[in-house]
Amino acid sequence: MDNINFQDRIDEYLLHDETMSEEEKVQFLKEIEEDAEKKEQYEFTKNVKQAIVSRGEKLKAMTEFQMEMKSHYHRKTWLWISSIAAVLVIGFFAINPLFVENSPTDNVRGDENDVFDMTVPTDSIDTDSISSDTITSLHK
């Protein structure tokens, strides 16, 4: 029973030393210096605690590294996808004009001379502004 009680005191000293008074700490350290078995138990517990803390730090570092690599992989993937998309868009605009025939008469029906071949109705010739002087006819 004394061993279990002493283990509780070791745990309190190592894990919650702020709850112990200075006098209790001094008495505890004196006790482990005087008893080799208690000192061995204290050293073992201290080493286990350090191993657990070290393992926890290693696991945390590994998790952070994995998250960083995952993030790096996603960034790299998006960079590749956006690069491919940019190449396709630029390629479309660069190559498309080579295959499309652009002519100034694409929007005109018929041949280029058909636009100007028109017969004018005879009744509109009298009121046509080109055939008569519109300024003088308005003042008459």
Side-chain angles (χ1 to χ4, degrees):
M1 186 71 167
D2 187 39
N3 224 6
I4 294 173
N5 186 25
F6 186 70
Q7 184 63 50
D8 289 341
R9 289 178 56 215
I10 293 173
D11 292 342
E12 184 178 2
Y13 180 79
L14 291 175
L15 301 173
H16 308 289
D17 67 332
E18 68 277 353
T19 61
M20 294 177 78
S21 68
E22 290 301 317
E23 185 179 310
E24 289 174 319
K25 289 178 187 177
V26 170
Q27 182 182 351
F28 175 78
L29 292 173
K30 183 179 177 190
E31 191 175 339
I32 62 172
E33 287 301 320
E34 292 174 353
D35 188 341
E37 189 178 317
K38 287 182 179 181
K39 185 172 185 172
E40 186 179 332
Q41 188 177 354
Y42 167 75
E43 291 295 330
F44 177 77
T45 305
K46 186 170 121 179
N47 289 338
V48 168
K49 178 189 177 245
Q50 287 175 343
I52 290 172
V53 169
S54 176
R55 179 163 168 75
E57 289 172 354
K58 287 176 188 172
L59 287 174
K60 182 180 175 186
M62 285 175 51
T63 303
E64 288 174 359
F65 178 74
Q66 287 173 344
M67 294 300 286
E68 185 179 322
M69 290 308 293
K70 195 179 233 185
S71 173
H72 178 71
Y73 174 76
H74 287 301
R75 278 183 275 159
K76 202 171 188 178
T77 302
W78 278 111
L79 179 64
W80 274 100
I81 291 171
S82 60
S83 299
I84 291 170
V87 166
L88 290 174
V89 168
I90 291 171
F92 176 76
F93 286 112
I95 294 174
N96 192 29
L98 299 175
F99 295 110
V100 176
E101 292 182 25
N102 284 335
S103 170
T105 60
D106 281 348
N107 295 330
V108 178
R109 290 187 202 166
D111 293 335
E112 43 185 78
N113 294 330
D114 288 347
V115 176
F116 300 107
D117 287 341
M118 293 178 50
T119 55
V120 179
T122 55
D123 62 340
S124 70
I125 293 176
D126 295 336
T127 59
D128 189 10
S129 63
I130 295 175
S131 61
S132 64
D133 187 5
T134 55
I135 297 175
T136 56
S137 67
L138 288 175
H139 289 290
K140 288 182 184 178

